[in-house]
Amino acid sequence: MMSHAPVFVVITPILGALLMGLLNPFVKKELYRDLIALVSLMTPLVLMLYIYRTDTNVVYEMGGWPRPYGLVLVVDGLSALMVLMAGIVTVTTFLYSLEEKRLLPSGNRYNFLFLFMAAGLYGVFMAGDIVNRYVFFELTIISTYVLLTYKGTKESLRASYNFLIIGSTASFFFLAGIGLLYFNTGFLDFGALRGTVPYIDQGTRNIIFSFFIIAIGMKMGLIPFHTWFSDAHVNAPTPMTAILAALTIKTGLYIMIKLFSIGFDTLPIRWILVFLGAITALTGVVMTLKYTDLKRILAWFTMSQMGMIVVSIALWSPLGIAGGVMHLVNHSFFIGLLFLSCGTLAYVHGTRDIRELPLLRSNILLSVGFLIGTLAILGIPPLNGYYSGSMILQASSRYPAVYIVLILTYLLTAVSFFRIFALSSGISDLSSPPESMLIPLVVLAGLCVFLGALSPLWMRNAVFPAVRAIQPGAVFEGSYPYLNIHGLVLVVTSMSGAFIGYFFAPFISGLKLEWADGLLSRVPVTDAIRYMIIVMALVLVLFTIL
Amino acid sequence: MMMSNIVRTTTKMVSPFLVTYSIYIMLYGHLTPGGGFQAGVILAVSIILLMTAHGSKNLEEKVNETWFKMIENIMAISILIMVSIGLVFGAMFYNFLHRGTFGLPISGGMIPLFNIFVGLKVGAGFMVIYYALLRWF
């Protein structure tokens, strides 16, 4: 019976959601509904842990139909890692939302949509063919559109509407790309595509990828496709922001990795993604220097970190992929921690403005949680951002321009974070938020410390198998010690950035960055879609020139 | 709001045929073009026609939104259960019923059952959407 475990990872949240819909008129007590939801969110995590312990190369054939024609669920090193990450983050954020849900005006459909979103996430990570991946992604994102509007304010409706229009356009392009892929190869299964895509001629392959680039760019929030990004994050309820930043945008990255692995890893394609990623990394962090809304600052940080991961993976060396995948997992834990502690701070103090938030003089768990998240994002040694950050730097050290951009990103990240600490003031309030809000913070902070301390260990035992699932013959030379020269560069950069940020905070806040705001974040939907199509055309032109 | 006598009479005459047609598409989904989804849409249309012609207020005690919600949920769960029975025979979605001879109405194992469940689910789902839109008026 346990050989059927992969399918239950996807099915259980759906079953839970449907039970919720069926029992809604009869079960009036909120506690029972939350229990059903919690159980159906915990089950996939437990099942995946079981699968991961026994065998990490499972192909589950639906209905007994074999691989290139049937639908399959694949559990390899990478997807197992992703599902485990998704499981931990969904369970913790759901625990968090037990309290936050009571503040929302229409909370009774929240569990239903949340479960469908979780099922979609697991599906994206495990589906073995590209159409199912698309379908599961739509399942996730349609639930997300609704969940983003749960505050019921005008801004949240507008943000969700922008996201809806841009997301639907991107999905349309993705579907067109899938159609072209099928037309040229005759397969949709990733295993079969891996063998056939390299034989498509270069021009056609580039055209197909220029369709995909809109879809994955929009999902990841790369620069010309990012206009929905900060508004959607800011106006969503806190748990949804955490899910969006920690998991939903990672699905775009995962699809990018898969596309690269089936044969879209030729040179012009990769350099375009490195270029877009580097711009995103730098611009995202520059934008954080001007805001005072903590949640908006964190949203732009998410974008910049995603840019870094994209750069690292698009370099497509085994080390680059390993660093990128590891940073992806680490990022989802520390950004989840940061967003959840930001939400809890706002819950306790009633504001998100950093000038009125006593960040380090709140409840001890809250302050320490926020500090751990900050130090993890800056890459300070005992925490998890350090090792993966140093791996990314090491992978990019062969390309000086990329290296400088990444160092600058880290410097500005530190500047921006310590500007927040310097500006934060307000009346110290040590009152404790409810336990259901603190437990997720403790779990995620514990994971940050734990995974950070054991970095080389789980790098070798979990991340390297994940890379070998993408690049079957990947070889890792060298021992990758915990304390290495790139790590030292990273720590020195972050420290100096921290000093600059702390002592020049008023000067930095006085910088005039309004032009960047007009160009980057307050873009109407029609213009955003026009940007997307223009960029696609530019990419096509670039491909023909190169 | 009730529409004119002509519309009411016509919809009354048309809607049984629509129901028959949808049942045909549902039951022959595995042999002819069509299937559960299309049948469900036609089924929903036949009810929506009656409701728009006669006014949704007048039909309140005959058709009810909660029924449709229940039908949709029950059908979705039945699909999941039916699909899970395949686990006993080897895999999820395994076609465990007798396949029969090709071309006959009862053949294809569980595909006709699948079509029926999907048809009812989609029909009920469209009705729920219709009710949601109706609330704006």
Side-chain angles (χ1 to χ4, degrees):
Chain A
M1 198 62 194
M2 284 316 278
S3 66
H4 299 295
V7 77
F8 280 103
V9 173
V10 183
I11 290 287
T12 322
I14 296 181
L15 200 61
L18 292 174
L19 270 179
M20 200 81 65
L22 195 66
L23 297 178
N24 225 7
F26 310 116
V27 182
K28 290 280 175 249
K29 246 189 168 176
E30 193 71 20
L31 177 69
Y32 296 134
R33 292 190 221 156
D34 289 342
L35 266 181
I36 295 175
L38 205 57
V39 166
S40 36
L41 280 174
M42 294 283 262
T43 319
L45 186 59
V46 175
L47 284 176
M48 192 35 96
L49 273 175
Y50 172 80
I51 301 170
Y52 201 60
R53 265 192 59 230
T54 48
D55 186 10
T56 52
N57 202 2
V58 184
V59 177
Y60 188 83
E61 291 163 350
M62 291 282 191
W65 296 97
R67 185 111 201 236
Y69 303 107
L71 309 178
V72 291
L73 293 178
V74 179
V75 185
D76 53 19
L78 182 64
S79 61
L81 195 62
M82 295 285 139
V83 170
L84 282 181
M85 174 189 93
I88 292 169
V89 176
T90 42
V91 169
T92 44
T93 44
F94 186 78
L95 264 180
Y96 182 91
S97 62
L98 291 182
E99 185 63 35
E100 177 112 355
K101 218 164 42 164
R102 282 182 217 148
L103 308 175
L104 302 175
S106 52
N108 61 339
R109 292 190 206 93
Y110 185 90
N111 291 1
F112 177 82
L113 289 162
F114 196 95
L115 287 172
F116 260 112
M117 192 197 61
L121 283 171
Y122 298 136
V124 174
F125 292 140
M126 287 169 66
D129 62 306
I130 194 161
V131 170
N132 266 319
R133 194 152 287 177
Y134 167 79
V135 170
F136 279 121
F137 186 79
E138 286 296 290
L139 184 64
T140 309
I141 209 157
I142 287 170
S143 317
T144 312
Y145 297 144
V146 188
L147 285 167
L148 289 187
T149 63
Y150 259 70
K151 273 189 179 169
T153 56
K154 208 170 184 177
E155 290 83 39
S156 74
L157 281 175
R158 183 192 295 276
S160 179
Y161 178 75
N162 281 6
F163 188 20
L164 172 71
I165 299 295
I166 293 173
S168 312
T169 317
S171 296
F172 174 74
F173 278 101
F174 192 45
L175 203 56
I178 292 174
L180 277 175
L181 202 58
Y182 183 64
F183 182 73
N184 278 292
T185 60
F187 288 110
L188 294 168
D189 185 88
F190 275 114
L193 282 176
R194 200 187 277 242
T196 45
V197 167
Y199 296 106
I200 308 175
D201 63 303
Q202 183 75 38
T204 319
R205 211 186 314 169
N206 291 342
I207 290 169
I208 295 174
F209 195 79
S210 65
F211 275 95
F212 282 139
I213 206 169
I214 285 189
I216 60 178
M218 169 265 157
K219 282 160 197 171
M220 291 187 290
L222 284 186
I223 265 294
F225 317 112
H226 69 286
T227 46
W228 60 275
F229 199 88
S230 62
D231 281 343
H233 278 73
V234 171
N235 294 308
T238 311
M240 280 321 295
T241 319
I243 290 269
L244 200 61
L247 300 176
T248 313
I249 60 171
K250 300 291 164 42
T251 56
L253 199 65
Y254 185 69
I255 291 172
M256 185 188 106
I257 296 175
K258 274 290 175 190
L259 285 178
F260 275 11
S261 77
I262 61 174
F264 286 102
D265 54 344
T266 47
L267 263 190
I269 291 174
R270 286 204 278 117
W271 278 114
I272 281 167
L273 274 169
V274 169
F275 180 67
L276 290 180
I279 290 182
T280 311
L282 209 53
T283 321
V285 86
V286 168
M287 290 299 283
T288 59
L289 294 173
K290 92 177 257 285
Y291 291 111
T292 51
D293 182 350
L294 186 55
K295 211 170 175 187
R296 197 176 282 277
I297 292 173
L298 290 177
W300 284 102
F301 271 129
T302 314
M303 217 177 103
S304 119
Q305 294 282 315
M306 280 307 280
M308 272 176 49
I309 301 171
V310 168
V311 167
S312 171
I313 287 173
L315 291 174
W316 207 236
S317 61
L319 194 61
I321 307 171
V325 168
M326 194 181 185
H327 201 66
L328 193 163
V329 178
N330 287 339
H331 172 255
S332 81
F333 292 142
F334 61 66
I335 206 72
L337 174 63
L338 282 172
F339 270 122
L340 291 188
S341 48
C342 163
T344 319
L345 282 166
Y347 180 89
V348 174
H349 299 287
T351 175
R352 289 199 313 250
D353 196 319
I354 53 173
R355 285 164 301 187
E356 292 157 24
L357 269 181
L359 278 176
L360 298 181
R361 283 172 290 123
S362 298
N363 186 286
I364 177 79
L365 284 173
L366 211 49
S367 295
V368 170
F370 191 82
L371 198 62
I372 285 180
T374 310
L375 296 182
I377 207 172
L378 299 186
I380 302 298
L383 299 163
N384 61 358
Y386 162 75
Y387 193 66
S388 49
S390 73
M391 295 294 268
I392 289 178
L393 286 183
Q394 189 175 349
S396 63
S397 61
R398 224 179 284 166
Y399 313 96
V402 179
Y403 196 79
I404 290 168
V405 168
L406 292 184
I407 287 287
L408 261 180
T409 308
Y410 263 114
L411 184 76
L412 288 175
T413 309
V415 168
S416 186
F417 259 112
F418 277 81
R419 181 190 74 107
I420 300 174
F421 287 133
L423 289 185
S424 96
S425 60
I427 307 131
S428 172
D429 183 358
L430 297 179
S431 63
S432 168
E435 281 81 6
S436 67
M437 283 179 151
L438 282 177
I439 293 168
L441 290 185
V442 172
V443 169
L444 286 175
L447 271 171
C448 281
V449 177
F450 181 70
L451 289 180
L454 298 178
S455 285
L457 192 71
W458 77 275
M459 180 88 184
R460 209 159 295 133
N461 293 325
V463 180
F464 285 173
V467 179
R468 292 208 183 88
I470 310 164
Q471 281 190 344
V475 186
F476 299 93
E477 66 272 341
S479 58
Y480 309 116
Y482 191 74
L483 297 171
N484 52 22
I485 180 71
H486 298 285
L488 190 70
V489 172
L490 173 57
V491 173
V492 169
T493 314
S494 292
M495 291 288 199
S496 43
F499 276 111
I500 298 172
Y502 199 77
F503 292 113
F504 295 91
F507 170 71
I508 295 160
S509 302
L511 291 176
K512 291 265 180 287
L513 290 166
E514 269 73 23
W515 56 271
D517 201 25
L519 195 65
L520 289 169
S521 72
R522 308 231 178 284
V523 183
V525 190
T526 44
D527 284 0
I529 290 170
R530 214 170 289 149
Y531 282 178
M532 283 157 71
I533 292 168
I534 288 172
V535 167
M536 188 189 123
L538 276 179
V539 166
L540 263 177
V541 170
L542 262 177
F543 279 150
T544 45
I545 293 168
L546 296 168
Chain B
M1 193 191 82
M2 211 187 282
M3 285 192 171
S4 73
N5 210 351
I6 301 170
V7 180
R8 270 182 289 153
T9 320
T10 326
T11 47
K12 253 186 194 170
M13 286 165 75
V14 166
S15 125
F17 287 105
L18 279 177
V19 174
T20 322
Y21 184 51
S22 119
I23 290 173
Y24 162 73
I25 290 184
M26 218 184 275
L27 294 181
Y28 276 72
H30 56 302
L31 300 172
T32 54
F37 191 91
Q38 290 82 344
V41 173
I42 297 169
L43 193 62
V45 162
S46 70
I47 304 171
I48 289 172
L49 263 184
L50 281 178
M51 281 182 66
T52 39
H54 292 260
S56 53
K57 287 274 181 321
N58 303 337
L59 292 174
E60 231 164 32
E61 64 267 18
K62 290 193 176 147
V63 278
N64 195 340
E65 192 186 351
T66 12
W67 296 0
F68 292 118
K69 281 183 178 167
M70 282 292 123
I71 291 174
E72 198 192 358
N73 259 312
I74 292 169
M75 285 305 144
I77 289 179
S78 345
I79 290 171
L80 273 183
I81 289 171
M82 187 179 70
V83 153
S84 310
I85 293 173
L87 286 173
V88 183
F89 296 88
M92 200 90 176
F93 283 93
Y94 188 78
N95 197 342
F96 57 91
L97 290 176
H98 185 56
R99 311 278 168 90
T101 28
F102 174 72
L104 288 182
I106 299 178
S107 65
M110 68 176 191
I111 307 295
L113 275 179
F114 208 85
N115 276 332
I116 291 169
F117 288 154
V118 170
L120 290 176
K121 186 198 168 330
V122 170
F126 267 87
M127 287 312 296
V128 174
I129 294 173
Y130 176 72
Y131 271 108
L133 293 177
L134 210 58
R135 259 177 244 139
W136 286 359
F137 290 103

